[in-house]
Amino acid sequence: GGSYQPSQGSDDDWDDDWDDSSTVADEPGALGSSYPDYEAAGGGASSRYRLSTRSELSLGSRGGHPAGHPHPPGTGGSGGAKSSATVSRNLNRFSTFVKSGGEAFVLGEASGFVKDGDKLCVVLGPRGPEWQENPYPFQCSIEDPTKQTKFKGMKSYIAYKLVPSHTGQQVHRRYKHFDWLYGRLAEKFPVISVPHLPEKQATGRFEEDFISKRRKGLAWWMDHMCSHPVLAQCDAFQHFLTCPSTDEKAWKQGKRKAEKDEMVGANFFLTISVPTGPGASLDLQEVESQVDGFKAFTKKMDESALQLNHTANEFARKQVTGFKKEYQKVGHSFKCLSQAFELDQQAFSAGLNQAIAFTAEAYDAIGDLFADQPRQDLDPVMDLLALYQGHLANFPDIIHVQKGALTKVKESKRHVEEGKMELQKAEGIQERCNIISFATLAEINHFHKIRVRDFKSQMQHFLQQQILFFQKVTQKLEEALHKYDSV
């Protein structure tokens, strides 16, 4: 659990800093201590509004306020017995619920400006809460990995050509650009599963197989980014896709802007707007049951994905080495037989000798077909499993944030029943928990939708490739069989 930390010693020269004067983003959890007034360029109140969840809830001495969160005015603890109760803070200050800002938001401590462009809408769809669809969907291809150099050839790196369909303008990005973007998004969106990037590699990173595999992994990653209604429209992602590769100044400005983004941590939850009105409220018990069901599902899916990955890996290895070797051994044996027959020097047996020699070549070729086949069918399945294992690794943290919010609601309800807390304060906690629940259910729905799409197309591709493979094998055997017709 915990927030993303970019790993050191990666395969893409991290000593080569972006920009010595760049501003380092605050640590997760330390954001939001003070909020300067946001002013849109050219003013205009219509494009911004202030949103605060500061509750009048007295936060007693059980956990105190974290640095940067002094007591809000009027919550010094006075106000009679009813306002003296506190919803206790988590003792584990390193839990995801605390670090993501979920706790501060639920307890009513988030306060910041939300611009119109930052608003994220959850709507009620046929399957329950869903992220509002991106009105302008697009795709982005990743092609032509090319080796480039800098510092007069002292440093080498691979650049990938990206062509987003909504601009049609190509840009070039290195792996470290992807890595930077992933880090920003993983920190910004605590209840959204940001797809993991293909793993780093310290050696052999200029080998053709590695570059090809990484490009395929990045293509899957890009597809999931573009398919997500929230991630696809995020400013940092759009900057990454559209900033011209040659404009270093514009790149650094966009990079700094993303790193100074205040709508992270507790403030991220302020940006979520959820359905209101009759029929739009969530039953907390039902939410808990749905989330528990999803938790069991992800655990089982993770186990089966791991098993399938292992099986596919083993099967691919056998095809590349074992099966190829066995078929070529059979071919070699047929070849020896045909060479023995040639010693008889009889003219009428020449046709038979040639047919057996052709059969030997057919088995040799079938061995090569087996060795080449995994990259056509098994490798793409394993690439997809790798991407989904990344998603499955994200969900325990997302579920933890939602569970933490539910716990606070239960605690506040108990305080109301005991007459220690005003109903209004408990309702505020429940309302904020609702927002987290809506977002979590929307993310779960999106995951299932994309999973069905991906596994359908990948299984179709797998079976089509398998059929093509066996058709090629059959064709080789049929060709060999016809050689005997004229003997």
Side-chain angles (χ1 to χ4, degrees), residues 206 237 416:
F206 296 125
F237 182 50
V416 170

Side-chain angles (χ1 to χ4, degrees), residues 57-58 79-86 411-423 425:
L57 178 65
S58 164
K82 275 200 173 182
S83 60
S84 65
T86 82
E411 210 176 315
S412 65
K413 279 184 173 174
R414 199 170 65 247
H415 284 323
V416 170
E417 284 164 14
E418 291 167 0
K420 293 177 182 172
M421 184 185 281
E422 289 168 15
L423 184 61
K425 290 167 191 171

Side-chain angles (χ1 to χ4, degrees), residues 2-5 25-31 98-101 187 264-265:
S3 62
Y4 168 85
Q5 293 292 333
D26 291 327
E27 285 297 306
L31 285 151
V98 176
K99 287 171 75 179
S100 68
E187 184 188 351
V264 298

Side-chain angles (χ1 to χ4, degrees), residues 138-203:
F138 64 93
Q139 277 102 31
C140 179
S141 64
I142 297 183
E143 303 296 338
D144 302 338
T146 52
K147 189 173 179 180
Q148 298 184 2
T149 57
K150 63 192 297 186
F151 304 134
K152 296 184 179 174
M154 288 171 69
K155 273 188 183 288
S156 300
Y157 58 88
I158 300 295
Y160 298 85
K161 182 175 83 176
L162 276 56
V163 186
S165 62
H166 63 318
T167 66
Q169 300 296 312
Q170 66 178 52
V171 295
H172 288 87
R173 297 288 180 251
R174 295 168 58 180
Y175 183 84
K176 72 169 192 175
H177 299 147
F178 284 91
D179 200 56
W180 167 81
L181 176 66
Y182 171 77
R184 300 309 317 152
L185 299 179
E187 184 188 351
K188 180 173 170 64
F189 296 114
V191 288
I192 288 175
S193 177
V194 181
H196 288 206
L197 288 165
E199 288 180 2
K200 296 185 171 83
Q201 184 166 311
T203 57

Side-chain angles (χ1 to χ4, degrees), residues 221-243:
W221 181 87
M222 183 60 77
D223 176 73
H224 273 224
M225 291 294 295
C226 296
S227 302
H228 198 290
V230 175
L231 297 176
Q233 298 180 79
C234 167
D235 286 349
F237 182 50
Q238 285 298 325
H239 173 67
F240 171 83
L241 291 180
T242 58
C243 181

Side-chain angles (χ1 to χ4, degrees), residues 273-459:
S273 73
V274 299
T276 52
S281 61
L282 293 172
D283 180 293
L284 289 187
Q285 271 186 318
E286 203 177 301
V287 171
E288 195 166 13
S289 155
Q290 278 179 273
V291 172
D292 284 344
F294 181 70
K295 190 178 178 181
F297 165 84
T298 52
K299 187 173 183 289
K300 195 73 181 163
M301 182 178 169
D302 196 37
E303 287 167 7
S304 59
L306 209 62
Q307 186 191 358
L308 176 55
N309 194 53
H310 176 72
T311 306
N313 216 2
E314 274 294 291
F315 191 46
R317 190 180 59 77
K318 283 175 185 170
Q319 282 185 231
V320 172
T321 53
F323 290 13
K324 177 183 177 178
K325 201 173 167 184
E326 293 302 318
Y327 271 86
Q328 290 181 344
K329 202 186 282 183
V330 172
H332 180 70
S333 300
F334 280 134
K335 193 177 181 183
C336 290
L337 182 66
S338 77
Q339 285 168 345
F341 281 4
E342 278 170 15
L343 295 176
D344 74 347
Q345 303 291 312
Q346 298 291 340
F348 63 79
S349 71
L352 176 66
N353 301 344
Q354 285 166 4
I356 295 177
F358 190 87
T359 306
E361 286 169 14
Y363 269 80
D364 206 49
I366 290 170
D368 285 331
L369 285 175
F370 267 104
D372 290 340
Q373 190 55 23
R375 71 177 66 194
Q376 311 301 328
D377 52 24
L378 288 170
D379 283 1
V381 169
M382 290 190 280
D383 287 342
L384 180 68
L385 291 173
L387 183 82
Y388 271 86
Q389 281 171 314
H391 278 304
L392 293 168
N394 290 339
F395 274 106
D397 280 354
I398 292 170
I399 290 168
H400 183 73
V401 172
Q402 200 276 333
K403 288 274 185 195
L406 277 176
T407 304
K408 300 296 178 208
V409 170
K410 288 174 185 171
E411 210 176 315
S412 65
K413 279 184 173 174
R414 199 170 65 247
H415 284 323
V416 170
E417 284 164 14
E418 291 167 0
K420 293 177 182 172
M421 184 185 281
E422 289 168 15
L423 184 61
Q424 190 185 350
K425 290 167 191 171
E427 281 172 351
I429 289 175
Q430 178 157 344
E431 203 177 292
R432 291 187 287 276
C433 171
N434 244 8
I435 289 172
I436 292 177
S437 297
F438 264 115
T440 306
L441 293 178
E443 189 58 20
I444 288 171
N445 251 330
H446 176 75
F447 175 80
H448 283 315
K449 188 174 160 185
I450 220 88
R451 173 182 61 84
V452 170
R453 180 202 75 171
D454 288 346
F455 279 87
K456 174 193 169 181
S457 72
Q458 200 56 66
M459 289 308 295

Side-chain angles (χ1 to χ4, degrees), residues 112-149:
F113 285 109
V114 180
K115 295 172 278 178
D116 280 354
D118 285 334
K119 283 189 225 170
L120 307 174
C121 295
V122 177
V123 295
L124 282 174
R127 294 179 300 276
E130 293 178 356
W131 294 113
Q132 191 172 50
E133 281 302 316
N134 180 0
Y136 307 107
F138 64 93
Q139 277 102 31
C140 179
S141 64
I142 297 183
E143 303 296 338
D144 302 338
T146 52
K147 189 173 179 180
Q148 298 184 2
T149 57

